[in-house]
C-alpha cells in the first residue's frame, strides 16, 4: 500500500507510541526494554540496517532517533511561496544523487531508490556556469580549464602512490607539484581552486589526503558515473528512506522511538545497554551506532567503558566538514534563467560566498526565483554563527557587485541551516584528511565487543555520500544477522582492527644523516640527561 504525505506524517507522529508484537512493551517510565538489536539513529544507515535485519528474519530491534522524523541529514524544509501560495520544499541537507550510474554498468543504490519512488530530480550541468568578481561578470573560465588539466595530473599521481604503496600527500601538494602555483592574491585562481575541490569535499585541498580523496571520488564517479542529479521533489529527498522504512515498520510501530536522545552506551561481551533522555533504557544483544562523525568526536554521548584508544584516535583524526546552503527567494530574477551556476571570486577572501545556484532553469523549479549560495569549511562555520540578517546583508552586497546593472532587491524569503551547531550532527559530512591510512580508517569502522558502527564516514570508498551510509548500514546488519542466525560466532565476525599502527621511521634513523642533530639514546641513559625512547 502506498501512503500520501499526509498519511506519512500521521504515521511518523504515532510510531513511537504504539506497541508492536515483535518487541516486549515498556512496563513503565524508567524501565528497560529487551531486544536483539538496538539501532541508534534513523538516518540512511540506520534504516538500511533495520531493513536488512528484517530480510534476515530478525524483527526484534528498536530504532532510537533524536529527531521527530526519519532521514537524519536528509533534511527538508518548507520555504518561500509558490504561485498558489503554498511553500516550496527545499533540502537543507543531502541534495544530490551523486554518480547515478546506469543499468548497463553499475547503478548507485540511492538512484535505484529514487527511481523506485519516482523522485523528481534533474542533472546538474557543471559546465553551465558564468564567472564574476567584484567588478561584475568577468570571464575567468580559462583558469578553471587550466586547473582541470592540473587535476588530471594529480589524479595520475594518486594512482601511482596507491599502487606503489607509497606515502600519501595532500591534494594541495599534488596540484602544486603538477604546476598549480597561483599567487595568493590571484583571486580568480583562488575561486577556481574552491570550485574544483572544496565544493565537493567541504574541505580545502590543503586539508585533504590525495590518495583517498581521489580514490573516493573515483569510486563514485568512476564506478557509477559522473552524472549527478539535484533532487527537487516537493515530497523531499528523505521520501525514499521513509518509504523504505514503511516496508518493515507498521503503522504505530513501537520499534521506532522518535524524539529520543541517547545519553549513554554501556557495552561489553554480553550485550549493550542504552540509556536515553526519557529516563529509560534498552538492553540489546547487539547495537549499531550510526551517529555522525561529528557526534562521535564530541562529548554528546557517554560510552562505558570509554572507546579504546585505537578506535577513538581514528574517530578523532577523520574530518567532519560543514557545507552550508543559503536559500533566497526574490520577487523577480535578476540573473540569467538558463544558467545553473554563478561563480564569484571575492577580492580578499578565498571561499567567501563563492557560488550561487539557480533553481529557475528548466527541470528544477522554473519561475521559483530561488537562488541558493554555498559556503564550506571556515566560511560556513562563520556564517552559521551569524544572524540571518547579517548573512543576508553580506550576500546582497556580493550580489550587487556581481550584477551592478541590475536591481537586486531584498529577498522575500531567506533561510539556512546551522549544521556545525546541531548537537545530533555537528557538521554536514566527512572527508578523508591528510595522514589517515586505510588501516586507521578501518579502526573507525571496527566493532568493539557487541557495539557496532555504521554511517557514511565509515565507508572507505563512499565516505561523504548517501550511498556510503546506505552500504555500510546494510553491511553491518548482514554481519549481525549472520551471528544471530547461527552462521558464525562473534569472534568469527569481529571486524579487522589495528591496535598498533607503526610509522615509517625507525629509532636508529633519528640521526645526523637525516637532519636529527640530537639523537635519542635508545638505551635511555638518564644520568646523562638524555631522553629515553620507549
Amino acid at each position: 500500500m502506498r501512503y500520501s504525505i499526509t498519511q506519512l506524517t500521521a504515521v511518523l507522529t504515532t510510531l513511537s507510541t504504539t506497541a508492536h508484537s515483535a518487541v516486549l512493551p515498556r512496563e513503565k517510565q524508567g524501565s528497560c526494554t529487551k531486544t536483539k538489536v538496538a539501532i541508534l539513529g534513523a538516518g540512511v544507515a540506520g534504516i538500511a540496517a533495520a531493513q536488512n535485519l528484517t530480510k534476515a528474519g530478525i524483527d526484534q530491534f528498536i530504532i532510537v532517533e533524536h529527531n521527530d522524523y526519519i532521514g537524519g541529514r536528509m533534511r527538508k524544509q518548507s520555504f518561500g511561496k509558490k504561485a498558489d501560495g503554498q511553500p516550496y520544499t527545499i533540502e537543507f541537507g543531502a541534495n544530490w544523487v551523486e554518480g547515478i550510474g546506469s543499468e548497463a554498468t553499475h547503478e548507485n543504490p540511492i538512484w535505484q531508490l529514487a527511481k523506485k519512488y519516482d523522485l523528481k530530480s534533474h542533472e546538474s550541468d557543471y559546465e553551465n556556469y558564468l564567472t564574476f568578481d567584484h567588478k561584475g561578470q568577468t570571464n575567468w573560465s580559462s583558469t578553471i580549464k587550466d586547473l582541470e588539466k592540473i587535476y588530471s595530473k594529480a589524479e595520475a599521481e594518486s594512482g601511482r602512490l596507491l599502487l606503489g604503496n607509497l606515502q600519501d600527500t595532500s591534494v594541495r601538494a599534488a596540484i602544486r607539484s603538477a604546476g598549480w602555483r597561483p599567487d595568493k592574491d590571484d583571486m580568480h585562481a583562488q575561486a577556481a581552486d574552491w570550485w574544483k575541490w572544496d565544493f565537493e569535499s567541504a574541505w580545502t585541498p590543503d586539508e585533504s589526503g590525495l590518495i583517498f580523496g581521489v580514490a573516493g571520488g573515483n569510486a563514485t564517479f568512476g564506478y557509477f558515473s559522473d552524472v549527478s542529479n539535484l533532487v527537487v521533489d516537493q515530497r523531499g529527498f528523505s521520501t525514499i528512506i521513509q518509504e523504505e522504512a514503511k516496508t518493515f515498520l507498521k503503522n504505530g510501530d513501537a520499534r521506532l522511538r522518535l524524539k529520543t536522545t541517547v545519553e549513554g552506551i554501556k557495552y561489553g561481551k554480553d550485550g549493550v545497554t542504552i540509556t536515553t533522555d526519557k529516563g529509560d533504557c534498552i538492553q540489546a544483544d547487539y547495537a549499531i551506532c550510526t551517529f555522525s562523525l561529528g557526534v562521535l568526536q564530541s562529548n554528546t554521548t557517554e560510552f562505558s567503558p570509554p572507546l579504546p584508544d585505537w578506535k577513538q584516535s581514528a574517530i578523532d583524526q577523520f574530518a567532519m566538514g560543514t557545507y552550508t546552503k543559503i536559500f533566497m527567494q526574490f520577487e523577480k530574477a535578476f540573473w540569467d534563467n538558463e544558467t545553473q551556476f554563478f561563480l564569484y571570486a571575492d577580492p580578499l577572501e578565498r571561499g567567501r560566498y563563492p557560488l550561487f545556484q539557480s533553481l529557475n532553469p528548466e527541470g528544477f523549479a522554473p519561475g521559483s526565483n530561488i537562488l541558493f549560495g554555498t559556503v564550506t569549511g571556515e566560511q560556513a562555520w562563520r556564517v552559521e554563527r551569524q544572524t540571518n540578517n547579517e548573512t543576508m546583508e553580506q550576500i546582497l552586497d556580493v550580489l550587487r557587485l556581481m550584477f551592478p546593472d541590475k536591481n537586486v532587491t531584498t529577498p522575500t524569503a531567506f533561510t539556512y541551516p546551522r549544521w556545525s551547531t546541531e548537537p545530533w550532527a555537528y557538521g554536514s559530512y566527512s572527508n578523508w584528511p591528510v595522514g589517515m591510512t586505510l588501516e586507521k580508517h578501518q579502526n573507525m569502522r571496527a566493532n568493539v565487543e557487541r557495539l557496532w558502527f555504521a554511517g557514511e564516514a565509515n565507508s572507505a570508498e563512499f565516505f561523504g555520500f548517501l550511498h556510503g551510509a546506505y552500504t555500510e548500514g546494510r553491511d553491518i546488519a548482514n554481519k549481525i544477522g549472520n551471528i544471530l542466525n547461527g552462521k558464525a560466532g562473534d569472534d568469527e565476525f569481529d571486524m579487522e582492527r589495528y591496535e598498533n599502527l607503526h610509522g615509517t621511521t625507525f629509532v636508529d634513523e633519528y640521526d645526523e644523516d637525516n637532519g636529527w642533530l640530537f639523537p635519542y639514546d635508545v638505551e635511555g641513559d638518564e644520568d646523562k640527561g638524555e631522553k629515553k625512547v620507549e
Side-chain angles (χ1 to χ4, degrees):
M1 176 180 178
R2 298 292 294 274
Y3 293 84
S4 69
I5 292 300
T6 301
Q7 289 171 316
L8 175 61
T9 302
V11 168
L12 294 181
T13 56
T14 59
L15 280 175
S16 61
T17 59
T18 305
H20 185 273
S21 60
V23 181
L24 295 174
R26 284 181 284 180
E27 296 176 0
K28 60 182 179 179
Q29 183 76 0
S31 65
C32 275
T33 303
K34 293 185 178 181
T35 191
K36 291 288 186 184
V37 184
I39 301 172
L40 311 182
V44 174
I47 295 303
Q51 187 175 48
N52 260 27
L53 287 174
T54 302
K55 291 178 180 178
I58 300 163
D59 60 2
Q60 292 190 51
F61 56 79
I62 295 175
I63 306 171
V64 182
E65 169 57 46
H66 171 86
N67 291 307
D68 61 356
Y69 64 90
I70 287 174
R73 283 170 278 164
M74 297 179 82
R75 181 180 170 192
K76 65 182 180 181
Q77 177 70 32
S78 296
F79 175 73
K81 287 184 179 180
K82 300 177 184 176
D84 62 4
Q86 295 299 309
Y88 283 93
T89 296
I90 57 173
E91 301 294 340
F92 267 2
N95 215 149
W96 280 267
V97 183
E98 301 268 17
I100 65 176
S102 70
E103 293 180 2
T105 55
H106 308 96
E107 268 195 315
N108 187 319
I110 301 300
W111 179 242
Q112 291 175 332
L113 293 178
K115 292 198 303 180
K116 179 179 179 180
Y117 296 110
D118 197 24
L119 195 75
K120 183 181 178 182
S121 66
H122 191 72
E123 181 180 350
S124 288
D125 181 359
Y126 297 110
E127 298 298 321
N128 182 3
Y129 61 78
L130 295 174
T131 55
F132 299 77
D133 61 19
H134 63 292
K135 297 179 181 179
Q137 186 172 344
T138 308
N139 188 359
W140 43 270
S141 59
S142 61
T143 304
I144 295 175
K145 300 299 182 184
D146 290 342
L147 184 53
E148 288 173 350
K149 296 175 183 177
I150 292 292
Y151 265 102
S152 294
K153 296 179 181 179
E155 288 167 2
E157 175 65 3
S158 169
R160 186 183 75 85
L161 297 180
L162 187 151
L163 295 175
N165 191 27
L166 302 175
Q167 287 189 33
D168 197 7
T169 187
S170 68
V171 173
R172 172 66 68 211
I175 60 176
R176 187 179 289 139
S177 296
W180 182 252
R181 301 171 184 268
D183 293 337
K184 293 291 185 181
D185 58 357
D186 182 349
M187 300 316 290
H188 292 165
Q190 298 300 330
D193 200 67
W194 183 94
W195 170 243
K196 294 307 296 180
W197 188 263
D198 302 40
F199 174 54
E200 185 67 52
S201 70
W203 284 84
T204 67
D206 309 74
E207 300 162 307
S208 304
L210 175 66
I211 291 178
F212 295 97
V214 171
N218 287 342
T220 289
F221 302 114
Y223 184 74
F224 296 123
S225 72
D226 60 0
V227 176
S228 296
N229 278 24
L230 183 78
V231 174
V232 289
D233 197 293
Q234 292 304 287
R235 295 170 295 173
F237 199 173
S238 57
T239 292
I240 61 174
I241 295 302
Q242 292 167 352
E243 290 291 333
E244 285 294 280
K246 289 191 292 190
T247 64
F248 59 88
L249 288 175
K250 306 298 182 182
N251 189 350
D253 202 316
R255 294 177 298 172
L256 176 64
R257 298 185 182 179
L258 299 174
K259 296 191 290 186
T260 303
T261 302
V262 174
E263 293 186 340
I265 302 174
K266 184 177 181 180
Y267 64 92
K269 293 182 178 180
D270 298 322
V272 183
T273 300
I274 311 298
T275 55
T276 76
D277 62 339
K278 306 293 187 185
D280 57 7
C281 69
I282 300 166
Q283 291 179 342
D285 293 337
Y286 297 87
I288 304 175
C289 179
T290 71
F291 294 164
S292 79
L293 176 66
V295 170
L296 292 175
Q297 290 174 336
S298 72
N299 293 320
T300 303
T301 304
E302 181 181 358
F303 289 89
S304 179
L307 295 176
D309 289 344
W310 58 264
K311 186 168 187 71
Q312 189 63 56
S313 64
I315 291 170
D316 292 341
Q317 185 172 344
F318 215 58
M320 188 66 171
T322 304
Y323 185 104
T324 309
K325 291 175 293 181
I326 306 165
F327 291 87
M328 299 154 275
Q329 185 179 36
F330 293 88
E331 189 71 32
K332 294 182 180 180
F334 50 82
W335 59 90
D336 178 58
N337 280 326
E338 296 181 0
T339 300
Q340 290 188 26
F341 300 97
F342 302 86
L343 309 182
Y344 173 67
D346 188 86
L348 299 176
E349 294 183 62
R350 180 188 182 279
R352 183 175 184 270
Y353 303 119
L355 172 67
F356 297 92
Q357 187 170 344
S358 173
L359 293 184
N360 275 354
E362 197 64 36
F364 297 104
S368 65
N369 296 332
I370 293 176
L371 197 66
F372 67 92
T374 300
V375 287
T376 60
E378 291 183 2
Q379 293 286 345
W381 183 273
R382 174 182 60 80
V383 164
E384 290 193 358
R385 281 151 183 79
Q386 296 179 167
T387 66
N388 278 16
N389 283 339
E390 288 173 326
T391 301
M392 181 172 66
E393 289 304 318
Q394 292 171 2
I395 285 180
L396 288 176
D397 287 344
V398 168
L399 290 173
R400 286 163 183 158
L401 291 173
M402 292 171 65
F403 299 94
D405 300 327
K406 303 293 183 180
N407 181 24
V408 180
T409 59
T410 300
T412 56
F414 186 94
T415 190
Y416 61 94
R418 267 74 173 180
W419 285 110
S420 63
T421 65
E422 290 282 6
W424 56 273
Y426 286 134
S428 304
Y429 54 84
S430 66
N431 183 47
W432 201 291
V434 179
M436 189 80 175
T437 63
L438 185 64
E439 292 82 4
K440 196 161 191 178
H441 181 269
Q442 177 59 26
N443 282 351
M444 192 170 71
R445 296 184 71 233
N447 63 297
V448 184
E449 306 292 357
R450 291 192 171 191
L451 175 61
W452 296 67
F453 295 80
E456 54 85 8
N458 287 28
S459 175
E461 297 170 296
F462 305 131
F463 59 90
F465 293 109
L466 285 177
H467 46 281
Y470 185 78
T471 54
E472 284 294 299
R474 289 169 62 88
D475 180 59
I476 298 304
N478 284 341
K479 288 179 168 61
I480 293 176
N482 284 332
I483 294 172
L484 289 173
N485 286 329
K487 295 182 179 180
D490 284 6
D491 293 342
E492 294 176 73
F493 270 92
D494 257 358
M495 297 178 72
E496 190 73 65
R497 76 279 313 275
Y498 303 86
E499 297 191 16
N500 293 297
L501 287 171
H502 298 284
T504 60
T505 306
F506 293 98
V507 171
D508 60 5
E509 293 176 312
Y510 287 85
D511 57 21
E512 292 185 31
D513 290 341
N514 288 311
W516 197 270
L517 303 183
F518 301 95
Y520 285 150
D521 178 9
V522 178
E523 299 300 323
D525 190 343
E526 297 180 4
D527 291 338
K528 295 181 180 180
E530 293 173 324
K531 192 171 182 179
K532 181 178 180 180
V533 176
E534 299 292 344

